[in-house]
Amino acid sequence: MREHLTVYLTMIRAAVITRLQYRADFLMGILGVFILNAGTLGTTWVLLNRFHELNGWGFWEIVFLYNLWLLGHGIRAVFFRHVTNLEQFILDGTFDQLLTRPASPLVQFMGREIHYLGVGDVLLSALMIGLAYQNLALDWTWWMFLWFLLVALSSAAVELSLLLMLSCTAFFTTRSRALVDAATQFSWGVVQQYPIDMFNNVLRFVVTVALPFAFMNYYPSLLLLGKEGSDPFGYLTWFTPLVALFLLWLTARVWNFSIKRYQSTGS
Amino acid sequence: MSLFWTFSRQHFYKQSAYRLNFWLEMGGMFLQLYVVATLWNVLFTQTPTGFGSATLTQMITYAVLGILLGAVLSVDEGVHSYLQGQVRMGLITTDLMKPVDFLLHMLARDFGATVVRLSFYLLPPLVFAYLLFDLVLPVDAVQVVYFLIAVFQAWVILFFCNFLFGLISFKTLDLLGFIFTYYALIRFASGQIIPLWMYPDWMQPFLYALPFQSIFYTPIGLFTGVISGGQATTALWTQTAWMIGLFVAARFIWARIHRHLVVQGG
Amino acid sequence: MALIEVHNLRKEFKKLVPKTGFLSGIRNLWNTDYTSHVAVDDISFKIEEGELLGYIGPNGAGKSTSIKMMTGILVPTAGEISIAGMTPWKQRREHAQNIGVVFGQKTQLWWDIPPIESYRVLKTIYKIPDSVYEKNLNTFRDLLELHEFENTPVRQLSLGQRMRADLAAAMLHDPRILFLDEPTIGVDVLAKERLREFIKEINRTRGVTILLTTHDMADIEKLCHRMSIIDDGKLLYDGSIHDLKSRYGTERTLVIELDDAPYALHIPNTRVLREEGSRVWIAFDKEKLSASDVMMKVAEKHTIRDLTVEEPEIESIVREIYQSGLDRKKEDGHVAVLDV
Ligand SMILES: Nc1ncnc2c1ncn2[C@@H]1O[C@H](COP(=O)(O)OP(=O)(O)OP(=O)(O)O)[C@@H](O)[C@H]1O
Ligand SMILES: [Mg+2]
């Protein structure tokens, strides 16, 4: 474990030096992230300006939902944005090189890059969650704040695991991008923007069990917003960190299995 | 003209080479369709008067077309991403050396990609969506013709917008950051997702003053019958005006950049 | 037991067979026809400690695939590899500590940062002690003139510099075995010379066992005593370069300068390759004729002013072997391995 950490930290150091070469993009990137999210939130605002609520969720509750997702996503994106790029690593031979070194390929792959765009996500979401907290007149106890931190990390872990598992298909088919893109639509296209209790059971099942992106924001929000009674499955809100841990464990298994497959099929 | 077909064929082969991508993208599109249809259903049940004079079927038709057209008239991929790629790899000079007018060359390339997307992403899913959802279809031939003209003009407008946007990469080498802004702007201001009339009143003049509403709102509005009668012809002429305006702007700015490039020697 | 032992190595890849013909584009959308392609087909060889082996073959012969199996990246479909007593893919990590790998096509260095920063990461990954790291780095600074560019981001390096930086990276942890897949690709004559010097040097002074692939026969001639030729996944030749020349290179070329223009040079068992003014190139098989036989036949009709005998270049021998491989493939899969 300590060895993994040493390797990871050394690699992160190299990744930071890499990133510092492109400092000029930094501000533009962060600004871009702000505007992009403002555009999406703006659309929601236009709707709720007219309809006042969506299936029992008010504007600021949706803002909270949206930004809890963004917070987890942002934390993930800072350190692990490149997991969906695994396909490229395999195609251009970078991955093969990881296999010729006496260290875990997973640790080496994870430490390969860091990204600043996620910083924009984290900043914006923290700000917006703060605003939502005020506008909703929430009043959390201190342990709720700790729970919130745990939830944010779990949210990042859930996204990381799901994306990495999906990207592992690159070991089988060389092309995983399309699959990842299609699957992440359940994330940014469904879970991030809408309270999932408005959808039918099939879709709910997909985002709760098959691709449990809903644990990034919907389920944890229920407790944080005091809405756990509004959903018959509201008790799932307590399981968020457990789900994250389970997914991380599963990802490690899937990863090892996929590498074995890759080594024996070569594509 | 043959240039246009050459590029279409090329793109056709590229598209069909990645078969899994095609089915997955199709699935993704139907997920989007389902989500927006649900959204409108929920809102309609909540407040039946919320859509103004539009019916629920019209709204769902609007959503279907918004998503399908969004896949055809792509903001992610287009002449801007091509330009950026070429500039970044230092390959843009090879494009400049070709014995065809640069703008025309780019237009042909984009046409190829669009025709292919049109045949893969508009017609088949539209038929399928018609079976799945309750849609309103155009009632007379004029409406269909108007719609087709509007889609064509929308393509030209989007092309010039993308082109002008892509020119930024000659200055910065990179579009990242800008692309988010551009993407958000088009998403928000084109009426692709939410029809323009549902925006707050004070915002509408701004939205109508931008070229983006011509890209999505006009063709979709014509198809669904939201825009009709005198409004229809006005909308089409507005598109034409934007086409010409943007064409002139693109020519002018490109000429300046081109001169600059020649002076610098690429 | 040899340092590297490869027994009946085989690797198959699955490939999608694209549809052709009418509406092929659309029909490809549900195409599921796979064929299996044998990239490495029943190869066996041994390499002793300290050897420098050239591993050559035309594009797609299976060289890189073999190297990937020997470095533990890929697991063979069948067959065994034992390197320093280990099976690469089973004891991947311990094995990795023993070997250095350079893929000439693709740098293992971090693209945007100077080589020296990449070396630091490798130092941690390979757990290189400080003293060894410093000593090696200093040696390579001398031998490869690393100091010229060790602080420049890799993306700004020329191909030659990058290759030097990559070689140093592969050697930092004192590996016993070095796998070099096209280390001279895209490098100019002088830089090639320098790379070869380095490779020779570490093979000689450090006793590093080296397996090298290349498309440049000069690399082979200047570096290796032994070479293996593979084509279409099969081992066609494995032996010394000297043997290869005497076995397959039995053709000699006699270049003769005459007083007058050459005419009526019909000598049995020879071919006129080229005529240029009063010069003529005549090829003959040295097993059947001797140079003096040919010369005498020519002298019967002409006055000879000057003459030289050209030995075949290894390049032309190899070309012939590749060509016969191509012809064989055209004859529809009929395979006859050259008898070695
Ligand atoms: N991952 C893979 N999936 C499918 N086929 C592969 C894969 N890697 C290699 N091949 C095929 O195996 C054969 C051998 O390839 P390999 O890369 O080993 O050749 P090579 O001898 O290194 O050629 P070159 O001199 O061009 O580098 C080729 O036909 C290639 O197309
Ligand atoms: Mg190769």
Side-chain angles (χ1 to χ4, degrees), chain C residues 226-252:
Chain C
R226 174 179 163 201
M227 68 193 264
S228 301
I229 305 179
I230 71 167
D231 189 5
D232 211 11
K234 295 192 181 56
L235 194 61
L236 298 188
Y237 177 83
D238 181 6
S240 76
I241 291 171
H242 184 78
D243 280 356
L244 184 79
K245 278 189 181 169
S246 58
R247 213 173 289 227
Y248 300 107
T250 53
E251 193 173 85
R252 295 284 182 276

Side-chain angles (χ1 to χ4, degrees), chain B residues 125-172:
Chain B
L126 192 59
V127 173
F128 200 52
Y130 180 72
L131 301 175
L132 276 184
F133 303 102
D134 220 3
L135 301 183
V136 282
L137 291 185
V139 282
D140 57 30
V142 181
Q143 216 182 333
V144 176
V145 173
Y146 277 12
F147 171 69
L148 292 179
I149 297 176
V151 170
F152 174 78
Q153 304 205 97
W155 165 64
V156 179
I157 294 172
L158 180 67
F159 169 80
F160 284 123
C161 287
N162 284 346
F163 183 81
L164 286 167
F165 175 66
L167 292 183
I168 296 179
S169 54
F170 281 91
K171 278 261 175 298
T172 62

Side-chain angles (χ1 to χ4, degrees), chain B residues 16 19, chain C residues 19-32:
Chain B
S16 55
R19 60 227 174 91
Chain C
K19 292 251 193 297
T20 50
F22 183 65
L23 287 183
S24 54
I26 291 188
R27 287 193 300 148
N28 266 330
L29 287 174
W30 49 84
N31 183 2
T32 51

Side-chain angles (χ1 to χ4, degrees), chain C residues 165-320:
Chain C
D166 255 306
L167 267 176
M171 284 298 302
L172 274 180
H173 57 289
D174 282 338
R176 281 173 78 185
I177 307 158
L178 199 55
F179 293 94
L180 306 175
D181 194 355
E182 305 192 33
T184 53
I185 189 172
V187 174
D188 75 47
V189 195
L190 278 177
K192 257 185 196 167
E193 208 49 58
R194 199 183 270 160
L195 288 174
R196 286 177 193 146
E197 281 307 316
F198 179 76
I199 293 170
K200 220 179 204 161
E201 177 76 13
I202 54 173
N203 174 248
R204 204 168 45 84
T205 59
R206 300 184 170 217
V208 179
T209 309
I210 299 176
L211 189 147
L212 157 133
T213 82
T214 179
H215 288 296
D216 184 347
M217 289 310 134
D219 289 345
I220 300 287
E221 255 172 317
K222 301 219 165 109
L223 288 174
C224 312
H225 300 295
R226 174 179 163 201
M227 68 193 264
S228 301
I229 305 179
I230 71 167
D231 189 5
D232 211 11
K234 295 192 181 56
L235 194 61
L236 298 188
Y237 177 83
D238 181 6
S240 76
I241 291 171
H242 184 78
D243 280 356
L244 184 79
K245 278 189 181 169
S246 58
R247 213 173 289 227
Y248 300 107
T250 53
E251 193 173 85
R252 295 284 182 276
T253 307
L254 194 62
V255 188
I256 307 182
E257 184 147 7
L258 306 170
D259 250 354
D260 48 354
Y263 58 90
L265 279 175
H266 298 300
I267 309 166
N269 290 325
T270 66
R271 282 179 300 136
V272 174
L273 294 179
R274 194 145 72 94
E275 285 176 20
E276 211 180 271
S278 59
R279 268 211 224 182
V280 62
W281 280 257
I282 303 171
F284 64 97
D285 189 332
K286 80 163 190 231
E287 311 268 87
K288 296 182 181 142
L289 288 174
S290 72
S292 55
D293 293 340
V294 181
M295 201 182 75
M296 253 126 76
K297 282 267 169 21
V298 175
E300 287 169 10
K301 290 175 183 158
H302 298 276
T303 317
I304 297 175
R305 276 179 35 193
D306 190 14
L307 92 178
T308 44
V309 182
E310 284 177 359
E311 279 225 340
E313 294 275 311
I314 189 165
E315 172 128 15
S316 64
I317 300 175
V318 166
R319 191 186 309 125
E320 234 157 74

